[in-house]
Structures are given as structure tokens and as C-alpha cells.
């Protein structure tokens, strides 16, 4: 295991109920949107890898649909929950591992590679490039790769403003609005163009960039507690209709970069 920040990441998830995250209406936007896009690329019999599978929200749902799923995560606590919840699912294999080193997996194996979490917790260019290269390596030619990432806006609005912590961000903010990668701060965030640039010369073709939750997590207090079912459904449909638009992407908390291996 080569992740020198493992203890920081582990501490975060040991203190946090990852499994409860998508129970909130505001946070289900991300899950429902990501699932919609995964489903667009599913083909009968395809082999799926999820890296950073957490407690198995996506992996278990996909395995229950009958796909052959391999789930990898760095953090023991999350894997234990995933294993408990997926007991009896013979088409789901779970492995402890690091997105930067998937040497336990052979090249060109998976039709769909989901990297839904590790990019939030990598703090320098070399590590980010390694994680991207490993995802691409294990994907089949013409296979689909999806990478979840956080926007700088999610840290400023979703953490700084919503939690009243703007001043504590002062030492992380660059003059151009970027947020510095500081491992102790646990989360790494991106501008859309910086995220895309990492894929230059990787032998992949860009397909889509999706705003998976827009400003929903930033409006959490309203969406979770005050909105009616009818209003929620209308908002969700509007979000699905607009989540590929540039004007939604810039402010989205979570983003999804989708590409194809050439
Ligand atoms: C926010 S959770 C997302 C979990 C799941 N993919 C989901 O969206 O519900 C991020 C997950 O990535 C895992 N993770 C972080 N860095 C990783 C790395 N370098 N390699 C593998 N997993 C990693 C964490 O342990 C955590 O379970």
C-alpha cells in the first residue's frame, strides 16, 4: 500500500457515517444522477470495477442487477460495511486496495471503471496521475471510465458558507479561487478545466462532464426538511434535464467526468 495519507483518510471515514450519506434527500441527487449515467453505458454481461466503493452503494446495486462487480476501497471500516451488506452476492468481489496501485488487477479487464471517491482524497499531481493511469490500465479498450470529483465551489459554499467556516478557509484559498491541496484538510477539489487536463495524452476520449448534484447539498437544510415530495420530484426532473449544461457544472458540488479508453 503506497498511500502516505491513508491514516488521514481512515480517520475521516472512521468518524463519519458514510452509509447514511445518501439517505438525505439533498444528497440523493448525486447518487440518482450518477446511477442514471452508469445505466446509459451498461451492456449485458459487462464487468464493472468500482474504486473507492465505500459501503457499496453503487457496487451492491449493480451486483443486484446481475453484473459482475469488483469493489475496491482503502478503508477497512467501509469495506466491512460493504461486506456485511453484500453477503450472499456471489457476483460481487471486494478487495482492500489503493486507487494508485491496482496491481492485484490485470490490464484491460473491465468494461466500466467507476472511480467514485479517490479523487476527493489525493493531494498532489503525481498521486492523481497514478490513480487515473491505474483506472485506465485495468479498463478494456473502448471501455467507459467515470471519475467523481469535487468542485472548489463545494468547499467554499457547501463547507465555508453553510457551516459558517469561511474564515477557516483563508489559508487554503489561492488568489485565483483555487483551493490548495492540504492533506490535513482531507478533501481535494478542482476547477473543471484542471480536472479535464489530467486526461491529456492518456489514450482516452472525453465523453461528458456531469453536474451530479448542482447546489442541492448547499441547500441541504431546505431540501431535506422543508420541501414536499411533489416539489422534490419536480426539482429532480429539472436537475436531470440540466445536469449536462455548463451553467450547472461550475457550481455543482460533485462532478462526474466520463471518458472512453481508446
Ligand atoms: C465519499 S466515499 C464514496 C463511496 C462510494 N463510491 C459512493 O459514492 O457512495 C469515498 C471512498 O473512497 C475511498 N478512498 C479514498 N481514497 C482512496 C484510495 N486512494 N483508494 C481507494 N479508495 C479510496 C474512501 O475510503 C471512501 O470509501
Amino acid at each position: 500500500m503506497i498511500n502516505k495519507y491513508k491514516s488521514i483518510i481512515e480517520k475521516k471515514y472512521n468518524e463519519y457515517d458514510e452509509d447514511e450519506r445518501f439517505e438525505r434527500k439533498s444528497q440523493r441527487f448525486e447518487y440518482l444522477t450518477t446511477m442514471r449515467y452508469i445505466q446509459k453505458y451498461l451492456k449485458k454481461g459487462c464487468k464493472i470495477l468500482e474504486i473507492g466503493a465505500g459501503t457499496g452503494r453503487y457496487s451492491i446495486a449493480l451486483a443486484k442487477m446481475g453484473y459482475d462487480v469488483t469493489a475496491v476501497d482503502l478503508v477497512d471500516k467501509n469495506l466491512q460495511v460493504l461486506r456485511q451488506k453484500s453477503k450472499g452476492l456471489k457476483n460481487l468481489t471486494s478487495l482492500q486496495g489503493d486507487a494508485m496501485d491496482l496491481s492485484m488487477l490485470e490490464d484491460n479487464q473491465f468494461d466500466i471503471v467507476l472511480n467514485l471517491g479517490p479523487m476527493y482524497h489525493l493531494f498532489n499531481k503525481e498521486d492523481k496521475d497514478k490513480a487515473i493511469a491505474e483506472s485506465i490500465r485495468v479498463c478494456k479498450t473502448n471501455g467507459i471510465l467515470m471519475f467523481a470529483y469535487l468542485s472548489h465551489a463545494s468547499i467554499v459554499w457547501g463547507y465555508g458558507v453553510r457551516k459558517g467556516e469561511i474564515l477557516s478557509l483563508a489559508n487554503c484559498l489561492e488568489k485565483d479561487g483555487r483551493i490548495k491541496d492540504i492533506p490535513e484538510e482531507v478533501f481535494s477539489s478542482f476547477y473543471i478545466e484542471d480536472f479535464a487536463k489530467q486526461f491529456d495524452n492518456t489514450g482516452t476520449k472525453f465523453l461528458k462532464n456531469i453536474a451530479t448534484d448542482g447546489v442541492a447539498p448547499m441547500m441541504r437544510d431546505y431540501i431535506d426538511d422543508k420541501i414536499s415530495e411533489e416539489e422534490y420530484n419536480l426539482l429532480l426532473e429539472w436537475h436531470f434535464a440540466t445536469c449536462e449544461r455548463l451553467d450547472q457544472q461550475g457550481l455543482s458540488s460533485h462532478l462526474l467526468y466520463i471518458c472512453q479508453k481508446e
Side-chain angles (χ1 to χ4, degrees), residues 4 28 41 68 77 118 148 189 208 213 226 244 248 250:
K4 52 182 180 292
R28 283 189 68 76
Y41 296 100
D68 177 330
K77 178 192 165 201
S189 54
K208 284 176 192 297
D213 50 7
K226 304 207 171 74
E244 292 189 27
Q248 299 301 320

Side-chain angles (χ1 to χ4, degrees), residues 49 70 72 95 102-107 109-110 137-138:
L49 170 67
T70 302
V72 174
L95 305 168
L102 301 176
S103 49
M104 68 287 200
L105 301 172
E106 285 169 22
D107 298 0
Q109 266 205 58
F110 297 95
R137 178 182 67 74
V138 297

Side-chain angles (χ1 to χ4, degrees), residues 79-167:
L79 266 181
Q80 294 306 332
V81 177
L82 182 150
R83 285 175 178 153
Q84 184 62 33
K85 286 171 55 185
S86 62
K87 265 194 187 143
L89 274 176
K90 295 204 167 51
N91 51 333
L92 193 157
T93 307
S94 62
L95 305 168
Q96 189 162 23
D98 188 336
M100 292 188 279
D101 175 13
L102 301 176
S103 49
M104 68 287 200
L105 301 172
E106 285 169 22
D107 298 0
N108 305 314
Q109 266 205 58
F110 297 95
D111 301 278
I112 297 186
V113 175
L114 306 170
N115 184 317
L116 305 179
M119 303 307 290
Y120 310 163
H121 304 295
L122 294 166
F123 306 102
N124 57 63
K125 181 174 175 348
E126 193 190 346
D127 288 358
K128 292 174 195 185
D129 286 349
K130 265 190 212 154
I132 289 171
E134 278 294 81
S135 291
I136 297 171
R137 178 182 67 74
V138 297
C139 185
K140 287 182 186 167
T141 303
N142 297 325
I144 298 294
L145 298 115
M146 300 192 185
F147 294 83
Y149 65 105
L150 294 170
S151 67
H152 293 313
S154 75
I155 308 289
V156 175
W157 291 110
Y159 171 71
V161 178
R162 205 183 69 81
K163 296 202 164 169
E165 293 282 352
I166 306 175
L167 293 179

Side-chain angles (χ1 to χ4, degrees), residues 3 9 13 18 21-22 50 52-54 58 73-75 78 97-99 116-118 120-121:
N3 196 315
I9 300 166
Y13 286 98
E18 173 61 17
R21 195 160 68 95
F22 290 124
E50 186 184 7
Y58 295 97
D73 203 278
L74 187 66
V75 172
N78 289 346
D98 188 336
L116 305 179
Y120 310 163
H121 304 295

Side-chain angles (χ1 to χ4, degrees), residues 243-260:
C243 64
E244 292 189 27
R245 292 188 54 86
L246 283 179
D247 35 55
Q248 299 301 320
Q249 292 174 30
L251 271 183
S252 188
S253 267
H254 293 82
L255 291 136
L256 188 69
Y257 181 93
I258 309 178
C259 60
Q260 184 166 32

